[in-house]
Amino acid sequence: MIEVLVVDDDTRVARVNAAYVEKVPGFHVAGEAHNAADALRQLEAMPHVDLVLMDHYLPDETGLAVVREMRRRGHQTDVIMVTAARDVTTVLAAMRHGALQYLVKPFAFAGLRARLEAYAELRCTLDGGGEAEQAEVDRIFGALSSSAEPDLPKGHSPTTAELVRRSLMNAEGPLSAQEIADRTGVSRQTAQRYLKLLERTGRARLTLKYGDAGRPEHRYVWATRA
């Protein structure tokens, strides 16, 4: 399980965010903190925490000040900023202090879920260790940046997009439009349309399977597995 510390000055928001985290398979909320001092205290007491969801506006310090202090104390815990702060200065500072992602409030569950799932995939990629070729480096750096839900063109259903996305993410290898259709219950044409959308937004990659004769079969793989 990926252990998460939720930091937010608003206790109600912290509870909502914690509930969101618990809904994502593979994640567990290790604790909640509502100010900078308590966040640092809990990190000292719980060295097993893997990820901090960090608000910026805290009553005693800023979230970025907490991140700086974490690093000064030697804590390499990963951080995703979850905050209403949207000024470019704060966003750039978060990036420079090693925040893996930045999620602006208010947000829906799908926005946080996508980033947590991408974070889990990133950890799986890194667990292998060893050396990385350029393609692997690109996947590592792109794992979280590609996690946001794509803007759907007119005529596309968020529900269908989610079905196709999850089927592709959970697949062990490339899938054709027909295989996606069989897994989701949509038509092959519909599956093809949503797969092309994922390809255009960089979240899926197209591969070709050549048979004995005729045109090659188009198959798609989630970008971090390509």
Side-chain angles (χ1 to χ4, degrees):
M1 298 292 285
I2 295 175
E3 299 291 336
V4 182
L5 175 63
V6 177
V7 181
D8 199 291
D9 69 316
D10 188 320
T11 57
R12 182 187 60 83
V13 172
R15 285 196 299 269
V16 169
N17 290 348
Y20 281 171
V21 171
E22 291 282 1
K23 289 172 65 176
V24 181
F27 287 83
H28 174 256
V29 175
E32 295 179 25
H34 309 298
N35 57 61
D38 192 30
L40 291 168
R41 182 190 62 78
Q42 291 198 48
L43 283 169
E44 294 287 348
M46 299 185 297
H48 61 282
V49 169
D50 303 297
L51 176 67
V52 179
L53 297 187
M54 181 69 71
D55 188 15
H56 183 59
Y57 297 124
L58 301 174
D60 48 348
E61 275 288 3
T62 65
L64 289 181
V66 177
V67 176
R68 286 195 295 269
E69 181 62 17
M70 286 169 54
R71 302 304 183 230
R72 189 189 71 79
R73 296 185 186 187
H75 294 296
Q76 298 305 313
T77 310
D78 293 323
V79 175
I80 294 179
M81 298 297 294
V82 180
T83 176
R86 60 183 68 210
D87 59 285
V88 173
T89 300
T90 301
V91 174
L92 287 176
M95 179 178 67
R96 289 167 180 159
H97 284 89
L100 294 178
Q101 255 290 4
Y102 199 106
L103 184 59
V104 177
K105 297 178 181 176
F107 55 87
F109 169 58
L112 179 59
R113 179 194 60 211
R115 284 158 177 80
L116 293 179
E117 289 175 345
Y119 174 74
E121 282 200 47
L122 177 64
R123 285 176 61 95
C124 288
T125 300
L126 297 178
D127 281 347
E131 296 183 348
E133 299 296 335
Q134 184 62 52
E136 185 71 8
V137 172
D138 291 343
R139 286 197 293 273
I140 291 170
F141 274 85
L144 285 166
S145 63
S146 62
S147 64
E149 295 293 329
D151 292 329
L152 294 178
K154 185 177 180 180
H156 285 71
S157 161
T159 302
T160 304
E162 175 67 5
L163 283 173
V164 174
R165 184 185 74 87
R166 292 193 69 86
S167 294
L168 205 59
M169 282 186 66
N170 294 332
E172 295 182 357
L175 295 176
S176 67
Q178 185 58 58
E179 288 170 326
I180 288 288
D182 293 340
R183 293 184 179 209
T184 61
V186 302
S187 70
R188 190 195 69 79
Q189 291 80 6
T190 297
Q192 184 70 50
R193 189 155 54 99
Y194 283 85
L195 287 167
K196 286 183 177 180
L197 174 63
L198 289 173
E199 182 194 2
R200 287 198 302 271
T201 57
R203 309 192 65 195
R205 295 185 185 178
L206 173 64
T207 65
L208 299 177
K209 181 181 179 181
Y210 291 89
D212 296 333
R215 299 175 61 185
E217 181 183 36
H218 287 200
R219 299 174 70 81
Y220 295 84
V221 63
W222 193 247
T224 56
R225 294 195 180 96

